[in-house]
Amino acid sequence: MAFSILPGLFLPLVMLAVAAFIPLFIKSKKSKTNPLLPVEWPLVGMLPGIVASLRSHVAAAGDNWYDILTSALVASGHTLKVRGPLASSMNFFVTCDPVNIRHMYTSNFANYPKGEGFAEIFDIVEGSFLTADGENWRWHRDIGRQALARPELLAYLACCWRDKVEEGLLPLLSHAAGTGAMINMEDLFGRLVFDLTTTLVFGVDPCCLSAGMPPMPAALPAFDAIMEVAFVRHTMPASVWKALRWLKVGPERKLAEAQRLIHGFVLDMIKKNMVQERGTAAPVDLLSFFTANYSDLCVDHQTGEPSKVLHATLIAYMIAGRDTVGTTLPWLLYNLAKNPHVVAGIRRELAPIAAARARRQQDDDALMVFEAQETKALVYLHAAMFESMRLYPPILYERKSVLADDVLPSGHQVRARDVILISLYAMGRVESVWGKDHREYRPERWLSVDGCSLLHVPSHKFLVFNSGPRMCLGKEMSIAQVKTIVAAVVWNYDIELVEGHVVQPKLSASMQMKNGLMMAVKRRGM
């Protein structure tokens, strides 16, 4: 049986070999129509040039592949066609044009589903709300809306955020400040958000962020691997990565191990959820909600084990919570460290709250922790967060398939089964939307003239929380979580980037940092 697969592997492996070796000999060959695009070669299309530019990103510190793509999009009028190898799945449009995005996400939403290709690439969450389309997606979304809108859940999470910041994050920062140790804030925030997201989904705190910084659980980097390999799958024909998966080599071997670890983690958390002691109040975590209200979703009736749909759904919620807040926090702190005047503005906004709190507490030297309700109305902090997400969006791209032939508002004709990639990174750098200072970090662009309220920016121009019918259900929850955490950090500590440390995006589907975020922390003198 295995030998019958070999003829089907021959062409993909030849294409992979060609794509791997041609970039060694062509490094600067560019398209004649757009010099920022790689040249289109016979048989293999633009794939060699794409691979060459990705190799450059990996090898050279400070060389940002996403900026190269952004420049190519700008030079092409914000939409371009990428052609891959002959008869491959790599012929797609890339766009950052807001009018195209409004068309796909709102005006003609039904014609632009996620598609089967997206579900294959993110196969670990296939069947969940992240990959579903049509009626299946509407069913998942209705369940998600019910689960996330419960007041008791929001109150529970606000307490979790506060306790984790007070008992986990701030003591670790104080220790680093006292010893003068450099600290990787991306790792610290990654642990914090992993704990908080696991608590939301399973009602169990894995205690990754605690005194002594315990060894990182294997599931945490495994989630990073999911996003890294998803990016790799987008850069090669589907037949190639499927061949690598079959052979269990390269990034697919790494992905298989990551998936094994994550499924084991989910099973472990389900067991802990079932046996943990309950208080007088009913549990409000997502798993408990699903098992109480949608038992058919949760159990495979043939085996009696947790169903594949339940696994995919729980992992999807872990990704949705962890990869958004977990990437937003370090990039926001990075931007704040580079812009001390913004930190001063946030502190001025926090000062009245801190003063009122100080009058009620006896210890003048105590660390200040803010409640979610206290930070809700802070517009400058909100603007600082959105401005960071504009420049460094948590998820770097969205993918849409085309059901029926259509013409985009930009004038580009798309055919049924075409694939469209939306670059959120490039969207934040469109001069016609954000102005000539679009590359600058300036929270004021989000504020009214008097600075007292946030300006409305349509979601088709600022896509970090999605747009149209698929708008993120956890948007307000994520905003509140980030504001609560950042308020405590910037009020209690001065933060500085370690000199010489290079901060650069990793090649991933989410905005991970390639080298982490090394910072020096000092206790702030009040």
Side-chain angles (χ1 to χ4, degrees):
M1 186 70 176
F3 289 100
S4 65
I5 302 175
L6 293 179
L9 290 176
F10 178 75
L11 179 58
L13 292 176
V14 169
M15 291 165 56
L16 181 61
V18 171
F21 285 105
I22 287 181
L24 300 178
F25 302 100
I26 53 165
K27 296 184 179 180
S28 59
K29 190 77 172 175
K30 300 297 181 181
S31 167
K32 292 181 180 180
T33 56
N34 182 345
L36 294 172
L37 284 177
V39 71
E40 184 176 347
W41 293 83
L43 296 179
V44 294
M46 296 178 180
L47 182 59
I50 293 172
V51 173
S53 64
L54 294 175
R55 289 175 64 248
S56 174
H57 176 103
V58 172
D63 188 13
N64 189 336
W65 186 82
Y66 305 111
D67 285 333
I68 297 172
L69 175 61
T70 299
S71 298
L73 279 165
V74 171
S76 301
H78 302 127
T79 301
L80 58 85
K81 181 70 179 288
V82 174
R83 293 177 177 85
L86 187 67
S88 75
S89 59
M90 282 194 69
N91 297 307
F92 46 78
F93 287 91
V94 184
T95 188
C96 63
D97 193 332
V99 296
N100 286 343
I101 291 155
R102 179 172 54 190
H103 178 78
M104 291 184 290
Y105 281 74
T106 305
S107 306
N108 200 10
F109 170 75
N111 195 49
Y112 295 92
K114 291 281 189 177
E116 294 179 2
F118 181 83
E120 286 186 330
I121 286 173
F122 286 96
D123 48 5
I124 194 170
V125 292
E126 188 171 2
S128 73
F129 67 92
L130 283 182
T131 62
D133 287 311
E135 289 304 316
N136 188 25
W137 164 73
R138 292 183 180 87
W139 179 72
H140 274 289
R141 187 167 178 86
D142 183 58
I143 294 175
R145 184 181 291 109
Q146 295 174 46
L148 295 175
R150 294 171 293 153
E152 61 271 25
L153 174 65
L154 301 177
Y156 168 69
L157 291 177
C159 290
C160 290
W161 301 338
R162 188 192 191 287
D163 292 348
K164 203 70 180 179
V165 168
E166 184 174 33
E167 299 168 12
L169 179 63
L170 297 188
L172 287 169
L173 291 177
S174 291
H175 177 75
T179 60
M182 302 298 102
I183 189 164
N184 185 346
M185 295 298 288
E186 187 190 36
D187 173 69
L188 202 65
F189 283 138
R191 290 169 175 268
L192 169 64
V193 176
F194 189 79
D195 282 353
L196 293 174
T197 308
T198 305
T199 301
L200 161 66
V201 176
F202 299 98
V204 178
D205 183 356
C207 298
C208 298
L209 186 76
S210 57
M213 292 289 279
M216 185 179 294
L220 206 161
F223 277 99
D224 289 339
I226 295 292
M227 305 306 284
E228 292 171 36
V229 179
F231 179 90
V232 173
R233 284 181 170 184
H234 273 97
T235 64
M236 63 177 64
S239 55
V240 173
W241 67 254
K242 288 179 181 179
L244 296 177
R245 182 177 62 183
W246 182 77
L247 293 168
K248 299 180 181 178
V249 296
E252 292 298 322
R253 181 178 181 178
K254 177 180 180 180
L255 179 62
E257 176 62 13
Q259 291 181 341
R260 184 188 69 80
L261 291 170
I262 289 172
H263 282 297
F265 167 77
V266 170
L267 281 175
D268 185 48
M269 291 297 106
I270 290 174
K271 292 176 182 177
K272 289 182 177 179
N273 175 279
M274 295 173 63
V275 302
Q276 67 181 344
E277 294 184 8
R278 305 292 190 181
T280 55
V284 297
D285 59 90
L286 298 184
L287 174 58
S288 297
F289 175 83
F290 295 150
T291 54
N293 296 280
Y294 295 93
S295 56
D296 288 343
L297 167 75
C298 301
V299 179
D300 183 324
H301 296 291
Q302 292 184 338
T303 64
E305 297 294 320
S307 68
K308 290 182 179 179
V309 174
L310 179 63
H311 265 249
T313 300
L314 296 173
I315 294 169
Y317 276 106
M318 284 294 299
I319 290 173
R322 192 197 79 99
D323 284 273
T324 52
V325 175
T327 52
T328 295
L329 282 166
W331 284 108
L332 176 51
L333 223 64
Y334 166 75
N335 282 307
L336 293 180
K338 292 179 64 178
N339 295 273
H341 69 283
V342 178
V343 175
I346 294 172
R347 287 172 176 169
R348 283 194 297 271
E349 201 171 40
L350 287 167
I353 302 172
R357 182 78 65 76
R359 288 193 293 269
R360 296 194 300 268
Q361 65 184 32
Q362 297 179 350
D363 185 359
D364 293 336
D365 196 44
L367 294 166
M368 192 72 66
V369 183
F370 299 92
E371 305 287 350
Q373 283 299 317
E374 292 175 321
T375 61
K376 186 175 182 179
L378 302 183
V379 295
Y380 193 72
L381 175 54
H382 199 130
M385 172 188 171
F386 273 22
E387 179 70 347
S388 184
M389 297 176 83
R390 175 183 73 85
L391 292 169
Y392 300 98
I395 303 300
L396 282 155
Y397 58 86
E398 284 269 338
R399 177 181 171 128
K400 294 286 188 181
S401 295
V402 182
L403 284 184
D405 295 358
D406 194 13
V407 179
L408 298 175
S410 62
H412 293 83
Q413 292 186 342
V414 293
R415 305 296 183 189
R417 302 184 66 83
D418 277 352
V419 172
I420 301 175
L421 297 180
I422 300 97
S423 171
L424 275 69
Y425 186 92
M427 282 184 67
R429 290 161 169 77
V430 176
E431 184 176 332
S432 60
V433 175
W434 304 104
K436 292 187 180 299
D437 61 351
H438 58 283
R439 292 188 177 275
E440 296 179 19
Y441 178 76
R442 194 173 66 83
E444 289 75 15
R445 77 176 75 247
W446 293 89
L447 300 174
S448 60
V449 175
D450 61 6
C452 295
S453 60
L454 287 168
L455 295 176
H456 171 69
V457 176
S459 56
H460 64 270
K461 296 181 180 180
F462 182 60
L463 197 60
V464 296
F465 297 104
N466 218 298
S467 183
R470 294 191 86 126
M471 180 70 76
C472 176
L473 293 173
K475 174 182 177 181
E476 298 305 323
M477 184 186 301
S478 299
I479 292 171
Q481 187 175 352
V482 171
K483 290 170 75 172
T484 300
I485 295 167
V486 172
V489 173
V490 301
W491 182 262
N492 293 294
Y493 304 97
D494 291 317
I495 51 173
E496 294 180 357
L497 293 169
V498 172
E499 187 176 354
H501 177 65
V502 177
V503 178
Q504 179 186 7
K506 184 189 292 185
L507 291 177
S508 172
S510 61
M511 185 56 84
Q512 300 172 21
M513 289 179 168
K514 183 177 177 181
N515 307 306
L517 181 64
M518 299 305 299
M519 304 193 86
V521 183
K522 297 178 182 178
R523 181 70 192 276
R524 182 180 168 224
M526 302 297 180

